Amino acid sequence: DTEVTQTPKHLVMGMTNKKSLKCEQHMGHRAMYWYKQKAKKPPELMFVYSYEKLSINESVPSRFSPECPNSSLLNLHLHALQPEDSALYLCASTTGSVVKTEAFFGQGTRLTVV
Amino acid sequence: AQKVTQAQTEISVVEKEDVTLDCVYETRDTTYYLFWYKQPPSGELVFLIRRNSFDEQNEISGRYSWNFQKSTSSFNFTITASQVVDSAVYFCALSEPQGGSEKLVFGKGTKLTVNP
């Protein structure tokens, strides 16, 4: 199984809503990532979890709150978002070891904030 | 800081033409990794190739080939006999290893359209 599964695929939320994005992998990877991709732009790193600990936060606003409940799951909790937060949110995973491999990406969640 | 430049924003070719996508990178690290990813309209990033900084061998995989030249900091990607299914956005990326995790720095991408 070389898949990273993200749910939901599409999400429309109001600025006062609270929602969560979910990401799951069963490859035994120990590093998991959230990337944000605006239309016609490259993905930009938001957060990295390494061995279930937050290791990188790229100065992301607090209205985005990541969580890694276990080594297979990664969540992104959303609260009080702005319309400019509308984007494709991509989850990825890597082995997390010194042996470097490619990152496996999920299909993403297309988020629209209204 | 690390940087990846893909100067070609959009390329349009006719099926069966060969096409080369350019990638130039900047880094101060001696150990680094370069990647190419394909992003079809469905959104997921599909891994194509990984190359580490110590391996300058060019690689061929079917219709795809990659030319890594450290002297010019370039990692170009050629598709031979292009097909309509090759239409996608292609990203070149550079990895900044940070302990056990890696931060990918992406170029802006090249949108390839292959017309029948």
Side-chain angles (χ1 to χ4, degrees):
Chain A
D1 183 2
T2 56
E3 276 193 354
V4 175
T5 304
Q6 289 186 244
T7 55
K9 287 192 170 29
H10 300 272
L11 178 62
V12 179
M13 62 185 289
M15 290 189 283
T16 58
N17 291 159
K18 283 185 183 180
K19 296 286 184 184
S20 296
L21 309 184
K22 295 186 185 305
C23 174
E24 192 168 2
Q25 57 86 16
H26 295 288
M27 295 177 279
H29 287 177
R30 302 308 300 269
M32 295 185 76
Y33 308 74
W34 282 115
Y35 283 84
K36 174 181 178 178
Q37 186 178 21
K38 301 280 282 183
K40 300 192 179 188
K41 298 287 187 186
E44 292 182 344
L45 184 67
M46 300 174 72
F47 302 104
V48 181
Y49 272 83
S50 181
Y51 289 79
E52 293 130 66
K53 286 187 169 50
L54 183 65
S55 61
I56 298 176
N57 177 344
E58 293 285 290
S59 303
V60 179
S62 59
R63 57 186 184 269
F64 295 92
S65 175
E67 179 197 19
C68 189
N70 61 56
S71 59
S72 299
L73 292 174
L74 184 66
N75 298 322
L76 186 63
H77 303 298
L78 314 173
H79 174 54
L81 294 193
Q82 304 296 310
E84 59 265 28
D85 296 322
S86 298
L88 179 68
Y89 288 84
L90 291 160
C91 174
S93 70
T94 60
T95 59
S97 74
V98 294
V99 178
K100 304 304 178 188
T101 66
E102 67 274 21
F104 289 83
F105 283 84
Q107 284 199 319
T109 295
R110 290 194 186 274
L111 174 67
T112 303
V113 181
V114 297
Chain B
Q2 303 200 339
K3 187 178 173 184
V4 176
T5 301
Q6 294 180 256
Q8 304 146 309
T9 306
E10 292 194 39
I11 300 176
S12 183
V13 299
V14 176
E15 215 172 10
K16 296 185 185 172
E17 281 186 35
D18 298 348
V19 57
T20 295
L21 310 182
D22 297 333
C23 173
V24 174
Y25 63 92
E26 295 175 31
T27 179
R28 279 184 239 164
D29 292 335
T30 54
T31 302
Y32 53 89
Y33 292 79
L34 294 163
F35 300 81
W36 275 95
Y37 281 89
K38 173 183 179 180
Q39 188 173 40
S42 52
E44 80 276 22
L45 283 159
V46 177
F47 166 78
L48 296 177
I49 190 171
R50 174 179 66 106
R51 175 64 76 233
N52 76 49
S53 51
F54 298 109
D55 182 3
E56 287 195 70
Q57 255 190 326
N58 292 327
E59 180 152 342
I60 298 174
S61 176
R63 296 184 296 107
Y64 295 169
S65 62
W66 291 269
N67 183 358
F68 177 30
Q69 299 215 344
K70 273 177 92 166
S71 59
T72 55
S73 297
S74 65
F75 186 42
N76 297 336
F77 172 32
T78 298
I79 302 174
T80 303
S82 59
Q83 299 177 1
V84 172
V85 294
D86 295 327
S87 297
V89 179
Y90 290 86
F91 289 99
C92 180
L94 176 64
S95 171
E96 295 183 16
Q98 297 186 355
S101 58
E102 301 193 40
K103 174 181 175 178
L104 282 173
V105 176
F106 288 87
K108 292 188 175 180
T110 298
K111 182 179 180 181
L112 174 65
T113 302
V114 181
N115 298 298

